mmCIF file of all heavy atoms in Angstrom:
data_model
loop_
_atom_site.group_PDB
_atom_site.id
_atom_site.type_symbol
_atom_site.label_atom_id
_atom_site.label_comp_id
_atom_site.label_asym_id
_atom_site.label_seq_id
_atom_site.Cartn_x
_atom_site.Cartn_y
_atom_site.Cartn_z
ATOM 1 N N GLY A 85 -0.350 5.097 -3.135
ATOM 2 C CA GLY A 85 0.835 4.432 -3.692
ATOM 3 C C GLY A 85 0.442 3.191 -4.495
ATOM 4 O O GLY A 85 0.991 2.938 -5.561
ATOM 5 N N ALA A 86 -0.552 2.435 -3.996
ATOM 6 C CA ALA A 86 -1.005 1.242 -4.706
ATOM 7 C C ALA A 86 -1.667 1.634 -6.028
ATOM 8 O O ALA A 86 -1.490 0.953 -7.049
ATOM 9 C CB ALA A 86 -1.983 0.454 -3.833
ATOM 10 N N ILE A 87 -2.423 2.726 -6.013
ATOM 11 C CA ILE A 87 -3.087 3.233 -7.233
ATOM 12 C C ILE A 87 -2.039 3.601 -8.277
ATOM 13 O O ILE A 87 -2.167 3.274 -9.460
ATOM 14 C CB ILE A 87 -3.984 4.446 -6.853
ATOM 15 C CG1 ILE A 87 -5.230 3.959 -6.103
ATOM 16 C CG2 ILE A 87 -4.360 5.271 -8.086
ATOM 17 C CD1 ILE A 87 -5.964 5.051 -5.297
ATOM 18 N N ALA A 88 -0.974 4.265 -7.823
ATOM 19 C CA ALA A 88 0.128 4.632 -8.738
ATOM 20 C C ALA A 88 0.834 3.366 -9.240
ATOM 21 O O ALA A 88 1.082 3.231 -10.445
ATOM 22 C CB ALA A 88 1.111 5.555 -8.037
ATOM 23 N N ASN A 89 1.109 2.440 -8.330
ATOM 24 C CA ASN A 89 1.820 1.211 -8.725
ATOM 25 C C ASN A 89 1.021 0.405 -9.754
ATOM 26 O O ASN A 89 1.595 -0.260 -10.599
ATOM 27 C CB ASN A 89 2.100 0.321 -7.497
ATOM 28 C CG ASN A 89 3.200 0.882 -6.616
ATOM 29 O OD1 ASN A 89 3.885 1.836 -6.983
ATOM 30 N ND2 ASN A 89 3.363 0.320 -5.431
ATOM 31 N N ALA A 90 -0.305 0.471 -9.657
ATOM 32 C CA ALA A 90 -1.168 -0.262 -10.607
ATOM 33 C C ALA A 90 -1.421 0.550 -11.876
ATOM 34 O O ALA A 90 -2.146 0.105 -12.755
ATOM 35 C CB ALA A 90 -2.479 -0.633 -9.943
ATOM 36 N N ARG A 91 -0.803 1.748 -11.949
ATOM 37 C CA ARG A 91 -0.922 2.616 -13.140
ATOM 38 C C ARG A 91 -2.375 2.984 -13.466
ATOM 39 O O ARG A 91 -2.760 3.091 -14.634
ATOM 40 C CB ARG A 91 -0.266 1.983 -14.379
ATOM 41 C CG ARG A 91 1.146 1.434 -14.173
ATOM 42 C CD ARG A 91 2.143 2.532 -13.848
ATOM 43 N NE ARG A 91 3.513 2.066 -14.005
ATOM 44 C CZ ARG A 91 4.260 1.482 -13.052
ATOM 45 N NH1 ARG A 91 3.757 1.304 -11.836
ATOM 46 N NH2 ARG A 91 5.503 1.117 -13.295
ATOM 47 N N ILE A 92 -3.181 3.114 -12.418
ATOM 48 C CA ILE A 92 -4.586 3.490 -12.615
ATOM 49 C C ILE A 92 -4.664 4.902 -13.194
ATOM 50 O O ILE A 92 -3.919 5.790 -12.793
ATOM 51 C CB ILE A 92 -5.351 3.332 -11.282
ATOM 52 C CG1 ILE A 92 -5.579 1.819 -11.031
ATOM 53 C CG2 ILE A 92 -6.675 4.096 -11.260
ATOM 54 C CD1 ILE A 92 -6.170 1.467 -9.703
ATOM 55 N N LYS A 93 -5.568 5.083 -14.146
ATOM 56 C CA LYS A 93 -5.632 6.313 -14.934
ATOM 57 C C LYS A 93 -6.232 7.473 -14.152
ATOM 58 O O LYS A 93 -5.790 8.623 -14.276
ATOM 59 C CB LYS A 93 -6.490 6.025 -16.173
ATOM 60 C CG LYS A 93 -6.545 7.116 -17.205
ATOM 61 C CD LYS A 93 -7.326 6.660 -18.447
ATOM 62 C CE LYS A 93 -8.811 6.398 -18.128
ATOM 63 N NZ LYS A 93 -9.619 6.039 -19.316
ATOM 64 N N LYS A 94 -7.267 7.179 -13.375
ATOM 65 C CA LYS A 94 -8.029 8.255 -12.747
ATOM 66 C C LYS A 94 -8.632 7.802 -11.418
ATOM 67 O O LYS A 94 -9.112 6.669 -11.317
ATOM 68 C CB LYS A 94 -9.176 8.655 -13.701
ATOM 69 C CG LYS A 94 -10.026 9.825 -13.266
ATOM 70 C CD LYS A 94 -11.069 10.088 -14.360
ATOM 71 C CE LYS A 94 -12.177 10.993 -13.902
ATOM 72 N NZ LYS A 94 -13.213 11.142 -14.960
ATOM 73 N N VAL A 95 -8.572 8.679 -10.430
ATOM 74 C CA VAL A 95 -9.204 8.395 -9.124
ATOM 75 C C VAL A 95 -10.241 9.474 -8.870
ATOM 76 O O VAL A 95 -9.959 10.670 -9.021
ATOM 77 C CB VAL A 95 -8.173 8.446 -7.978
ATOM 78 C CG1 VAL A 95 -8.853 8.311 -6.625
ATOM 79 C CG2 VAL A 95 -7.151 7.345 -8.152
#
Side-chain angles (χ1 to χ4, degrees):
Chain A
I87 287 162
N89 287 351
R91 311 295 196 271
I92 285 174
K93 187 175 65 176
K94 184 178 166 184
V95 174

